[in-house]
Amino acid sequence: MINHVIRYGAEVEAARNSGAPIVALESTIISHGLPRPANLRVAQEIEATVRAAGAVPATIGMIAGEIVVGLSGDEIKHLAERDDVVKLSVRDLAPAAAARVDGATTVAATSAIAVRAGIAVFATGGLGGVHRGAATTFDESADLTALSRLPIAIVCAGVKSILDVHATLERLETLGVSVVGYGTRRFPGFYLTDAGFDLDWSADDPAAVAEIIRAAQGHDLHHGALVVANPLPVDEQLDPALHDRVLHEGLEGLEREGITGKDVTPYLLSHFHTATEGKSLDVNVRIILRNADLAARIAAAI
Ligand code: PSU
Ligand code: MN
């Protein structure tokens, strides 16, 4: 069904016809994850990075209720600049389509659409996961359950460090999501190079990741995602002491202002951007661009 309501951008349509490598990109990071006006420039840089590394970018979102794979420059600008853009997880797609809204897709929703569109590789910043305090709030990102059933390789810098990383890794294990460190056996911590946990598997170049993807396709035993966890170099990470202080303040702010549900992640990211005077923004941008570059090289290697 969904195939009938996906509109493909011209460049993505041509790549689908010629078999050129395509990288899926999400739009929530643009609308809700990065501050204006930097968000628009970064969205354009992400696409340019994918192209420079030899693949076609497919930024995914919703325009007037229509799912678009390969948003145009004007559509990306629209999602970056408007206040009424809705953050769309998987469960929001149908009501949002019926209401003809303009929306930005999360990792969960973008992955679901990308798999329908036959795209095998997706780049983002950091995955959603289990929030701190989830034992009582039950706040766990739908990214996790989406990745448990979607065969897509997702290049990220681990899960966002605002989360309970240990609990998230446990859930990824339960949900059957493969996790491979890129050039490392340590799980990255988004703003931080190392979240403090070991990984069982690593891959050292795009060809090695492509081989894992081919093995999964060949086995056809399990339809979960492959997380390719790509850490920032240590000299590019956010200062860990600054990180911990700002995170602590942010978590207190959540409590004080009664922020819950889908507003939690945007609130914490925005708090970081303000409280670090843009340092976390620079780090976040580096993360995304590095992941976009790697995703394109993996897509080209498959
Ligand atoms: N990575 C980033 N910035 C972001 C996100 C990921 O560097 O803003 C977004 C993704 O769209 C992810 C979402 O799916 O945050 C998670 O939100 P939640 O915790 O409400 O599921
Ligand atoms: Mn949540």
Side-chain angles (χ1 to χ4, degrees), residues 221-295:
L221 288 169
H222 165 63
H223 300 279
L226 169 66
V227 170
V228 180
N230 184 29
L232 272 179
V234 179
D235 61 353
E236 292 187 35
Q237 72 175 351
L238 196 61
D239 170 29
L242 174 66
H243 173 273
D244 293 355
R245 179 169 61 73
V246 170
L247 177 56
H248 184 76
E249 289 164 10
L251 295 170
E252 280 178 353
L254 281 180
E255 189 96 355
R256 194 175 54 242
E257 297 180 39
I259 312 269
T260 57
K262 69 204 275 188
D263 299 330
V264 169
T265 297
Y267 174 90
L268 287 174
L269 292 176
S270 150
H271 171 72
F272 260 94
H273 297 329
T274 318
T276 65
E277 293 166 338
K279 287 199 186 76
S280 72
L281 173 60
D282 294 342
V283 174
N284 204 341
V285 172
R286 279 293 297 152
I287 289 169
I288 304 166
L289 296 181
R290 285 169 50 85
N291 293 344
D293 175 72
L294 177 57

Side-chain angles (χ1 to χ4, degrees), residues 89-146:
S89 191
V90 182
R91 69 171 189 162
D92 302 306
L93 292 173
R100 308 273 190 274
V101 307
D102 296 332
T105 48
T106 64
V107 167
T110 306
S111 306
I113 296 163
V115 167
R116 281 299 181 121
I119 301 174
V121 186
F122 171 17
T124 184
L127 299 180
V130 181
H131 284 266
R132 293 164 194 247
T136 51
T137 65
F138 283 66
D139 188 358
E140 179 179 299
S141 176
D143 290 358
L144 291 179
T145 45

Side-chain angles (χ1 to χ4, degrees), residues 185-235:
R185 289 271 174 117
R186 297 282 286 176
F187 193 57
F190 189 58
Y191 291 137
L192 305 175
T193 300
D194 185 341
F197 304 96
D198 288 324
L199 294 174
D200 293 331
W201 303 102
S202 60
D204 290 335
D205 54 39
V209 178
E211 198 165 334
I212 297 169
I213 294 169
R214 276 194 299 270
Q217 289 169 346
H219 293 159
D220 195 28
L221 288 169
H222 165 63
H223 300 279
L226 169 66
V227 170
V228 180
N230 184 29
L232 272 179
V234 179
D235 61 353

